Amino acid sequence: MMKRLVLALGLLSIAGVSAAAVATTPKDPGPEVIRLKMGDMELPFQHWKHQKSLNQECYHCHNTKIGKIDRWGKDTAHKVCIACHELEDKGPTTCLQCHPKKQKS
């Protein structure tokens, strides 16, 4: 019983160190603002602001590697961005907040 407790505590401490290492600032944080293409418009994405709010845990958005998000498009944006914004109660969550109606000329 005592050996299991010591082993469990050891594994938890290793996991804590690993999590802290992952949360460090990436070597290349990328651009401060990224212009995401959304159909015929571009959405200015505050990349550094999101990195900071996610404790530099890039895997929340970049599921396989740092760089462009795999299969980026409407479905990914709706699934990843809106879900996180709703969870955190921050950022746009409705259609018109990201897709304002175009002004007629």
Side-chain angles (χ1 to χ4, degrees), residues 11 41 53 103:
L11 290 174
M41 64 178 264
S53 69
Q103 298 292 325

Side-chain angles (χ1 to χ4, degrees), residues 29-36 42-48 62 67:
E32 182 176 2
V33 177
I34 297 172
R35 300 230 170 259
L36 300 173
E42 287 187 356
L43 178 70
F45 174 74
Q46 304 296 320
H47 189 245
W48 288 1
H62 299 278

Side-chain angles (χ1 to χ4, degrees), residues 55-100:
N55 297 318
Q56 310 300 335
E57 296 172 349
C58 304
Y59 65 85
H60 291 288
C61 298
H62 299 278
N63 55 2
T64 58
K65 63 183 177 184
I66 302 303
K68 290 187 176 182
I69 295 175
D70 293 341
R71 296 182 296 284
W72 174 255
K74 178 184 86 169
D75 292 337
T76 303
H78 288 171
K79 182 175 145 187
V80 174
C81 304
I82 292 174
C84 188
H85 289 172
E86 287 175 343
L87 179 68
E88 296 295 323
D89 199 24
K90 294 180 184 176
T93 58
T94 66
C95 300
L96 290 177
Q97 289 173 317
C98 285
H99 306 278

Side-chain angles (χ1 to χ4, degrees), residues 6-27:
V6 170
L7 179 61
L9 289 173
L11 290 174
L12 286 173
S13 67
I14 291 169
V17 170
S18 297
V22 170
T24 60
T25 303
K27 289 179 185 175

